[in-house]
Amino acid sequence: MTTGAYAEDTAPDGPGPNLTLEIGGSVQGEIVIDLLPDVAPKAAERLEELAKEGAYNDVVFHRVIDGFMAQTGDVQFGKRGSSQIEMAGMGGSNKPDLPAEFSKRKFVRGIVGMARSQSPNSANSQFFIMFADAPHLNGQYTVVGHVIKGMDIVDQIKKGDPAKNGLVDDPDYIVSATVSK
């Protein structure tokens, strides 16, 4: 496992608002993400907006690849108990897709990126948290934040089946998402 840019597995808290994810399932605890509106203003605003609306509550970590990342945030299909849960990862919010906000920030352990389809301008509500450094993502995905507390919880999120691109059976989930300044 790599340690990324931070010796303590957490980054320092910056001026951005903090997104706090209360996690449930096989692991329980809190993950605090420092959003980076100075790096990705539209993406940071979107995550903050959806959290304040309660859209992330009960959304599963539908794609989790050991040694790579944990993906969540499909507010359309990713709700626990949804009749369309098998489509988790295919949806977004009812808001328009976001333009790419690429930066020089590196995808290292603890970085939070916006998930998207093949089009760089297709990020919407889904995001992922890095377990380890992934230089191949640098400049290809929007960096929207970094974990400042709870990497030990991130590390314990239930992993998916590598043969199924990280698809998780009975996945862990976001109990609630809140924002504080």
Side-chain angles (χ1 to χ4, degrees):
M1 181 182 312
T2 58
T3 57
Y6 303 102
E8 300 299 318
D9 277 346
T10 56
D13 191 0
N18 290 341
L19 176 65
T20 300
L21 306 177
E22 189 65 37
I23 305 301
S26 68
V27 62
Q28 290 157 18
E30 189 177 89
I31 300 167
V32 181
I33 297 165
D34 183 30
L35 296 176
L36 302 171
D38 57 325
V39 175
K42 289 177 174 55
E45 179 182 22
R46 175 65 54 85
L47 267 59
E48 186 175 351
E49 185 179 18
L50 290 170
K52 286 179 177 177
E53 292 173 2
Y56 288 126
N57 298 353
D58 284 328
V59 172
V60 300
F61 283 88
H62 63 273
R63 182 173 175 241
V64 184
I65 300 173
D66 193 23
F68 182 38
M69 60 90 221
Q71 186 171 333
T72 186
D74 185 341
V75 301
Q76 182 178 7
F77 298 123
K79 296 270 187 183
R80 284 182 49 216
S82 163
S83 62
Q84 296 180 304
I85 193 74
E86 71 281 350
M87 292 180 64
M90 303 295 286
S93 71
N94 59 1
K95 301 173 187 329
D97 287 347
L98 298 168
E101 296 177 287
F102 299 153
S103 67
K104 294 188 185 299
R105 295 284 178 119
K106 306 273 188 239
F107 277 89
V108 296
R109 177 175 167 76
I111 284 291
V112 179
M114 293 297 290
R116 62 173 176 80
S117 66
Q118 195 169 6
S119 167
N121 300 314
S122 62
N124 189 292
S125 65
Q126 294 186 49
F127 60 93
F128 55 92
I129 305 171
M130 302 304 299
F131 289 126
D133 300 1
H136 66 283
L137 299 181
N138 296 343
Q140 304 294 313
Y141 289 82
T142 298
V143 171
V144 68
H146 54 190
V147 173
I148 58 171
K149 178 183 172 208
M151 272 309 292
D152 57 326
I153 303 301
V154 173
D155 287 336
Q156 296 174 63
I157 292 172
K158 186 176 180 183
K159 309 304 183 281
D161 183 344
K164 295 181 180 174
N165 197 26
L167 181 67
V168 184
D169 288 327
D170 191 24
D172 294 332
Y173 60 96
I174 300 169
V175 175
S176 67
T178 56
V179 177
S180 59
K181 297 290 180 185

